[in-house]
Structure formats: C-alpha cells, structure tokens
C-alpha cells in the first residue's frame, strides 16, 4: 500500500474519532458505513456496532481525548484495510476528512453533551445546557420560569 493511502487512512481515522460525540457524528458515521458497505455489504452492521461502541466510550468518558487517541489506531487499521481492498474509497474518504477538518477549523463543530437529571422523593430539578435559567417561587410554592427565559 502506498504511503499516500496510509496517510489518508490515518487522517480519516483521526477525523472519524474527532467527530464522535459532536454534532458531526451522525453524518460521519453514515459516510463511514457507506464506504464499508461499498466494499462488503454485509460488513455494515458490525462496523456500525464498533462505531457506536467507540462513540459511546467517547461520550461517557471523563477523558474523551484519551479514548479518541486509543480508537484512532484501530480505525486507521480498519480504513487502511478498506483502502487496500477498494482503492476507489480514496476520494470519498478524503472528502469526509476534509469536511470534518473544515468544520472543526471553522468552529462549526460542537460537542454534544448528554445530561441526565433525576428528581426523587418530591424533589425538583432545574437544569439547562448552554445558557441560563432563572426561576422564582410562586405564591403556591411552585417554581415558575422567568418569561424572558424562552419556551418552557
């Protein structure tokens, strides 16, 4: 395999793992699955499962960049083998890599944060991501949202 294809596989792997747990993930995942489906239609399900497992690890890890570094080697091998079997995947992988890199460079990519909040035993949860929430207690003791805070 040429050095160029090896470098492309490594760059592609870096783009794939960088996109995990961001708003770019679904499109990146679909593109990678499409590449593997071209090569071997039956490989899409196991590849999709491995992609989903990796993305879940990144999403739930306290050190997501460490997980991404570990996954990059695995995906570089997978993509290198794909390019060896089907060199026609070169251009779509190069496009995907450029799109992901461009989204990060321009600031268009955003990390997707999960938030789970649970209230028990008559408790109340007030939670927000990416903004502010202002609450006050009404006359009946219940909380109400400040009208300037947007939709409830």
């Amino acid at each position: 395999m040429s050095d160029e294809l090896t470098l492309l596989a490594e760059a592609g792997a870096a783009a794939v793992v960088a996109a995990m747990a961001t708003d770019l993930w679904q499109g990146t995942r679909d593109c990678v699955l499409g590449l593997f489906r071209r090569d071997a239609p039956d490989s899409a399900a196991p590849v999709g499962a491995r992609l989903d497992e990796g993305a879940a690890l990144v999403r739930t890890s306290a050190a997501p960049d460490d997980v991404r570094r570990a996954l990059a080697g695995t995906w570089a091998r997978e993509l290198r083998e794909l390019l060896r079997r089907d060199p026609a995947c070169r251009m779509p992988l190069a496009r995907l890599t450029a799109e992901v890199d461009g989204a990060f460079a321009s600031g268009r990519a955003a990390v997707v944060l999960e938030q789970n909040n649970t209230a028990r035993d008559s408790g109340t949860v007030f939670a927000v991501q990416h903004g502010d929430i202002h609450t006050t207690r009404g006359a009946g003791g219940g909380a109400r949202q400040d009208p300037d805070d947007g939709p409830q």
Side-chain angles (χ1 to χ4, degrees):
M1 175 175 266
S2 75
D3 288 342
E4 178 188 355
L5 292 182
T6 298
L7 290 173
L8 176 58
E10 291 170 358
V16 168
V17 299
M20 290 178 173
T22 71
D23 58 350
L24 302 173
W25 177 238
Q26 193 59 51
T28 301
R29 179 189 183 280
D30 292 345
C31 184
V32 172
L33 281 179
L35 293 173
F36 280 91
R37 194 175 291 119
R38 278 174 52 155
D39 175 57
D42 295 339
S43 70
V47 168
R50 288 193 304 275
L51 286 167
D52 292 339
E53 288 168 11
L57 286 172
V58 169
R59 197 172 40 254
T60 59
S61 174
D65 289 336
D66 292 342
V67 174
R68 284 185 176 102
R69 275 190 288 280
L71 291 171
T74 300
W75 284 104
R77 283 188 300 280
E78 293 267 355
L79 292 172
R80 197 168 33 250
E81 283 302 307
L82 173 68
L83 291 170
R84 185 187 57 73
R85 290 187 311 267
D86 187 0
C89 289
R90 178 184 178 274
M91 290 309 295
L93 182 58
R95 271 193 306 276
L96 171 66
T97 301
E99 287 173 14
V100 170
D101 290 348
F104 279 105
S106 69
R108 289 186 325 224
V111 174
V112 177
L113 301 173
E114 287 191 17
Q115 179 174 319
N116 297 311
N117 304 292
T118 304
R120 290 191 175 87
D121 301 322
S122 301
T124 304
V125 173
F126 299 95
V128 68
Q129 284 185 329
H130 311 294
D132 298 282
I133 188 169
H134 304 277
T135 60
T136 58
R137 293 273 176 198
R144 69 175 183 79
Q145 186 174 6
D146 189 337
D148 294 333
D149 288 343
Q152 294 187 16

